[in-house]
Every structure is written in structure tokens, then in C-alpha cells.
Amino acid sequence: MRFKPIKNLHLSVHPPFGKVTVSSPEFFDLEKVRVYLITRLSWIKREQTKIANQEREGEKVFITHESHLFLGKRYLLRCIVSPKSKVILKHNHIELFSKVDSLTIEKQKTLYRWYRNELRIRVGALIEQYASIMHVGIPEFGIRAMKTKWGSCVTQNQTLWFNIELAKKPIECIEYIVVHEMVHLLERNHNKNFVILMDRYLPNWRLQKKVLNELPI
């Protein structure tokens, strides 16, 4: 739980484990927050049940013919022995080149380097597009592993962060997260004004949010 300089209390349940986070106005006391959470217990349990029942990607061992997602589409992995590690997307295959004695973790790192680069290209293009539409400066952004969020906005230094797992999601879902975080440059809180701005810049954002939340995690 965090106390922040905000007007309203915000409660969220995050995949993949149903973690609950609470952001409270600084003027609330712990007892008031506790009472609020008690009133929301049924909703929290429903959200955690939905997350627990959500389809999940199985553990990957990085062998030929194993399926991997990229931009919402399934591709078959083709492992190729090579002195240089790299990834090439070819038709319905992701070709992963690695040394003959490469461990699973090394193959995973190679694929995720590629994911990071591909996601950076697409996120960068979307940021430029919406910076122009929103009449804001182009913010700094980064790609990293995130356990409970698809993205975040550090308003103090105008920096956006995006979950590397977004590389597996459809481009429309990536667009939704980019717009969501960029709207935070204009409105820090998830309030009525935030919703108005989301409706203005991405009218179908609710659909994309639903699609993203129902995809395998």
C-alpha cells in the first residue's frame, strides 16, 4: 500500500498472481483504508478468481517446433546451430540461432533481446504518433520485465516503462498501453478526466483492455 498526493483511493488486482495494490490519499488514515478494503473483498476475490482461471502459457524449453507468441500470433520455433546468436522471423517460424552447447536460459535471453528490440521499434512509433496528437513532448521510454503491470509512467521525469511481455500481444493492445501511459503525462490519476482523455485519444480502449486481460499470461 502507498500513500500519495492524490484525491481518491485506487484499488487494483494484477496478473499473473492476483496481487492487490492500494494507492491512498495522504490524508486517509489506515482505519479508513481498512474499512474500504473490507467493502471491496467480494470484488477482489472475483478478480483474483478470473486471473487464476485465465489461460497461461506453458513453461518453454526452447526446442524446435515449440510455439511462441509475437504480436498476438503464434509461431513455431526453429532452433539452428550457429556461432552467432540471433533471431530471424521467417513466414510462420521464429528462427533462433545459437551455439551448439547453448543452455535453455541462453536461448531465452537471445529471444528476449529480439523481443525487446522489436517492441522498442513499435512502441517508439506509437509514442511519436500520439505525442503529435496529444501535443506533448516525446517522452523517454524503456522496456523491462515487470511482474504486475503492463506499463508505468514516472511523471516526475516524464519517463514511460513498458513490460517486455507486451511483445507477445497484438499491436492494438500495445497501442492501448502506450496511450494509457501517455495520458498519464496529462493526467496523473485514474479519475474522470483520465477516462475522458482515453475516450478522446483511443475510443476503443475498453475493448483493447478486455482483449489484453483475456489473453494467456
Side-chain angles (χ1 to χ4, degrees):
M1 187 181 115
R2 295 181 180 178
F3 287 94
K4 297 181 177 181
I6 55 180
K7 294 181 180 180
N8 301 304
L9 194 150
H10 300 293
L11 172 65
S12 301
V13 180
H14 304 278
F17 306 116
K19 179 181 177 180
V20 178
T21 61
V22 181
S23 296
S24 169
E26 294 172 331
F27 54 85
F28 278 22
D29 57 36
L30 282 173
E31 181 61 20
K32 188 169 185 177
V33 176
R34 187 184 72 83
V35 171
Y36 173 80
L37 289 175
I38 289 173
T39 67
R40 300 290 285 164
L41 274 178
S42 294
W43 178 83
I44 291 171
K45 289 179 180 178
R46 285 199 304 272
E47 291 300 302
Q48 288 178 328
T49 298
K50 272 198 290 187
I51 290 171
N53 293 333
Q54 194 171 348
E55 184 183 353
R56 294 170 187 266
E57 284 284 298
E59 184 177 352
K60 302 299 183 181
V61 292
F62 294 87
I63 58 174
T64 292
H65 299 313
E66 185 177 60
S67 72
H68 287 260
L69 288 164
F70 176 58
L71 298 182
K73 180 181 175 181
R74 287 200 176 273
Y75 293 85
L76 291 179
L77 192 67
R78 182 180 287 154
C79 295
I80 300 170
V81 174
S82 171
K84 183 178 180 180
S85 297
K86 63 179 179 179
V87 171
I88 295 176
L89 191 67
K90 184 178 289 187
H91 306 300
N92 294 320
H93 288 84
I94 294 175
E95 295 186 342
L96 192 155
F97 295 77
S98 60
K99 296 179 181 178
V100 66
D101 56 351
S102 290
L103 301 174
T104 297
I105 187 64
E106 293 168 333
K107 293 179 180 179
Q108 182 184 44
K109 287 179 179 178
T110 298
L111 181 60
Y112 270 74
R113 276 197 302 271
W114 180 74
Y115 274 152
R116 185 184 303 275
N117 291 335
E118 293 294 322
L119 183 59
R120 176 173 289 278
I121 291 169
R122 287 158 179 83
V123 167
L126 286 166
I127 286 176
E128 287 192 18
Q129 175 187 341
Y130 280 96
S132 176
I133 294 170
M134 295 179 183
H135 303 292
V136 298
I138 297 176
E140 296 290 327
F141 75 95
I143 311 292
R144 65 185 180 187
M146 304 171 78
K147 289 185 177 181
T148 62
K149 296 180 179 181
W150 290 117
S152 66
C153 174
V154 184
T155 54
Q156 294 90 331
N157 60 9
Q158 304 280 284
T159 300
L160 309 182
W161 288 99
F162 297 95
N163 192 328
I164 193 170
E165 296 295 323
L166 281 172
K168 301 176 184 178
K169 309 305 178 184
I171 191 65
E172 295 83 4
C173 295
I174 298 172
E175 181 180 24
Y176 155 64
I177 296 299
V178 168
V179 174
H180 181 111
E181 301 310 330
M182 289 194 69
V183 166
H184 277 307
L185 298 173
L186 301 172
E187 174 55 65
R188 182 174 181 177
N189 302 311
H190 290 113
N191 53 24
K192 187 179 292 185
N193 187 46
F194 180 88
V195 174
I196 290 171
L197 291 170
M198 286 296 298
D199 286 340
R200 178 186 303 168
Y201 296 122
L202 193 68
N204 72 339
W205 68 271
R206 292 176 180 82
L207 172 61
Q208 298 312 325
K209 179 181 180 180
K210 183 176 184 293
V211 169
L212 180 60
N213 289 338
E214 290 177 353
L215 288 171
I217 55 176

